[in-house]
Structures are given as C-alpha cells and as structure tokens.
Amino acid sequence: MKTFKKVYVEITSVCNLACSFCPPTERKANFIKLETFNHILEQVKPHTKHIYLHVKGEPLLHPKIDELLDAAHAKGLTVNITTNGTLIRKNWHKILGKPALRQMNFSLHSFDGHEGSENREGYLREILDFVREAEPHKVIFSFRLWNLTQDNMTNLERQRNRETLEVLEREFGLDYKIEEKVTPGSGLKVAERVYLNQDYEFQWPSLHAPEDDGVGFCHGLRSQAAILVDGTVVPCCLDGEGVINLGNVHQTPFSEIVESERANNLFYGFSRRKAVEELCRKCGYRKRFNLEQA
C-alpha cells in the first residue's frame, strides 16, 4: 500500500483574494460537506497521518472549519492549514486550541499579490496576535514570502518585502535582517516553532505552457497526493484544475485510485526520471528537484 507524507484535501475551491501569482480556477465554486469530508478521511487515513486543507481556495472561508478540524482529530489525523491570513481574526475562535491543528502556513506574499490590499501593519498584526495566542498549543507556524524573482527585484518589490520583514524583526526581537540569514527554499527559525520561508515565485503548471524534454523527478504520488473538493484525485497539489484526473473517491476507493494503471505509469515514470504526463512536462516545479535527491 502506498503511503504519503501528506495528502491534500481541498475543502473549498473559492478564495477571497485574486492574487497575481495564483490563476483562478475554472472549476465550479464548491465547499466540501462534513459528511463528504469524513468519507474522504476514512479513505486516506491508512495512507497518511497528515492532511493539508487546500489545493486551490482559502480554507478559512469554509464556514465549518472547526467541525472539519474535529473530524480530522477523530480520525487520528493531524492538519496543516495554508492561508492568506486575511480571515484569521474572523476564524480565531474556530481554530484556536483545536488538537488536530499541527501547523499553519501564512502566505504573506498574498498581501502584495492582491491588488487593493491595504494596511500591511494591521494585516500582520492580526496574524502575529494569533501566533502569540496559540503559543501554549504548540502549533508550528511558517511565514511564507514566495515572491522572489530569478532576476533582480524592483525597488518597489524589495521595499514591500522589507516592510513586511521589519515587522517580523520587531515582533520577535531579531538583531539581524532576515534576508541576510535566510536561504531561498529553506526555513529560518525566528522563534520557538516559528519560521520564515522565502522562495522564488513559481508558475502554476498549465497545458498552455511550453513543453520540455520531460527529464526530471517529482514527489507526486510518492510523498503526496491530492483530492479536489469534488472528490477528484490528482497526483500533487499543483494540479489545481484536475488535469491528471486519476479517478474520483465517490466512485472508486482512494486505495485503488493511487494504484491504478495511470497512477503507476506516472510513479514509475519518475522513477526513471521521466515525466509521462503532458502537464508534468509543462511544470517548472519539477526542475527544482536534483536527480541525486530522488
């Protein structure tokens, strides 16, 4: 039986922001029902101990996020939530102290990625207040600034990041500038169970993108799998449109789907350092993995 480090269970395809780095989904707006969520958890729990509550969409938009967290705990699963952070105050009482909550990732780059964002200090203050309040519950926090560019950033982009990092430096009493210590793609510990992660902006894979020779490696269906809000199983968290549709958990058990012919062709293809799916050949994220790592 395949086991995964994590399984993404998308609980909504809806987001409250329109960020430049995240193309909107063309799928139907949807929110998972508690009964459906429990059905999915029952299927994935033999395969993983950790679930993430997103592929696309903003998890904190889900009106029953508290009940979903309780359901995960009842199944013995821990939860990671990746959020843009704008709804943290509204959902504070629903998630604080939930035993299933293992980690929260705040995509701070969404503030500048969303045209019309206002009051950076206020936005960060609400997130930081939650982090402080959650300290007794031993939750891991990751602040993400995934907006670096391979070329030199503009002065405006650098200034925006500096303003965000200055707030964090003050909050945690750091005696250094974060960008002097952090390495793109890795985390910098700024406090107990609190990390800052800067990385390059990535392009979501698309069938409209140019195709390369397909050489490379990916952890899709190796360390992760994903289930979209309608039950469609895809190999990774970057297939936000369900292009590599491996099956649907409402018709076929998850255990059978991840061992299907198409799934195994993809898995063993990457064992040979070859992308067999068209979308994978058009995905730049695959190039981040060194062949020696695989």
Side-chain angles (χ1 to χ4, degrees):
M1 177 182 289
K2 284 192 178 82
T3 56
F4 305 102
K5 182 179 178 181
K6 54 197 173 186
V7 172
Y8 293 82
V9 181
E10 183 184 69
I11 61 174
T12 180
S13 56
V14 180
C15 189
N16 62 320
L17 300 184
C19 296
S20 58
F21 55 81
C22 186
T25 180
E26 297 178 5
R27 294 182 285 120
K28 178 183 176 183
N30 201 355
F31 290 84
I32 203 167
K33 292 180 171 58
L34 180 59
E35 179 183 4
T36 302
F37 187 68
N38 272 309
H39 173 68
I40 290 173
L41 295 186
E42 192 65 35
Q43 293 194 51
V44 304
K45 71 176 186 179
H47 297 270
T48 192
K49 295 180 180 178
H50 306 293
I51 61 172
Y52 283 64
L53 300 186
H54 78 285
V55 174
K56 285 293 190 74
E58 167 52 52
L60 297 190
L61 269 178
H62 200 291
K64 295 185 177 181
I65 184 69
D66 50 344
E67 295 180 36
L68 300 183
L69 286 168
D70 289 341
H73 180 63
K75 299 290 186 185
L77 295 165
T78 59
V79 174
N80 289 15
I81 294 177
T82 298
T83 172
N84 59 45
T86 58
L87 302 174
I88 192 65
R89 177 65 65 182
K90 182 179 180 180
N91 288 277
W92 194 305
H93 66 290
K94 291 186 177 182
I95 60 178
L96 186 65
K98 290 295 185 183
L101 186 59
R102 172 185 174 269
Q103 179 169 333
M104 289 195 72
N105 307 313
F106 288 99
S107 298
L108 302 186
H109 48 280
S110 62
F111 183 86
D112 291 313
H114 176 73
E115 186 177 349
S117 292
E118 297 178 347
N119 190 6
R120 185 187 308 272
E121 289 267 355
Y123 163 73
L124 294 171
R125 184 70 266 152
E126 289 191 346
I127 292 173
L128 292 168
D129 284 348
F130 178 81
V131 170
R132 292 297 189 190
E133 193 73 18
E135 190 172 345
H137 302 289
K138 313 298 184 185
V139 178
I140 300 167
F141 291 100
S142 174
F143 299 126
R144 294 177 172 180
L145 270 178
W146 288 4
N147 59 1
L148 301 179
T149 59
Q150 297 290 351
D151 302 320
N152 289 331
M153 299 177 72
T154 67
N155 289 335
L156 177 59
E157 289 169 332
R158 276 195 294 269
Q159 178 59 28
R160 287 171 170 174
N161 274 3
R162 181 90 290 274
E163 290 172 4
T164 294
L165 295 175
E166 281 178 358
V167 173
L168 299 180
E169 289 161 4
R170 290 197 304 270
E171 179 71 18
F172 297 105
L174 305 183
D175 59 359
Y176 55 85
K177 287 189 174 183
I178 288 174
E179 57 264 63
E180 295 174 356
K181 298 276 189 177
V182 71
T183 301
S186 62
L188 174 70
K189 186 175 182 179
V190 297
E192 191 64 31
R193 293 183 299 279
V194 181
Y195 300 85
L196 185 284
N197 184 287
Q198 280 198 282
D199 209 339
Y200 296 100
E201 181 179 330
F202 68 89
Q203 297 293 320
W204 284 82
S206 167
L207 291 178
H208 302 298
E211 185 172 326
D212 61 23
D213 60 8
V215 174
F217 179 80
C218 182
H219 290 283
L221 290 181
R222 200 168 296 264
S223 67
Q224 64 167 280
I227 304 174
L228 302 182
V229 68
D230 68 351
T232 299
V233 177
V234 292
C236 74
C237 62
L238 293 182
D239 188 359
E241 294 304 299
V243 173
I244 308 176
N245 184 341
L246 300 174
N248 192 293
V249 294
H250 302 311
Q251 283 89 47
T252 308
F254 180 79
S255 296
E256 292 183 20
I257 292 173
V258 297
E259 293 290 359
S260 66
E261 181 179 4
R262 187 175 185 182
N264 281 330
N265 284 343
L266 185 149
F267 180 94
Y268 291 113
F270 280 124
S271 295
R272 303 189 305 272
R273 310 304 188 256
K274 191 71 175 176
V276 300
E277 291 281 349
E278 180 183 359
L279 186 70
C280 299
R281 294 193 297 272
K282 297 180 175 183
C283 179
Y285 209 82
R286 164 173 46 87
K287 299 175 184 177
R288 295 191 176 200
F289 303 111
N290 294 325
L291 297 185
E292 311 86 60
Q293 288 182 317

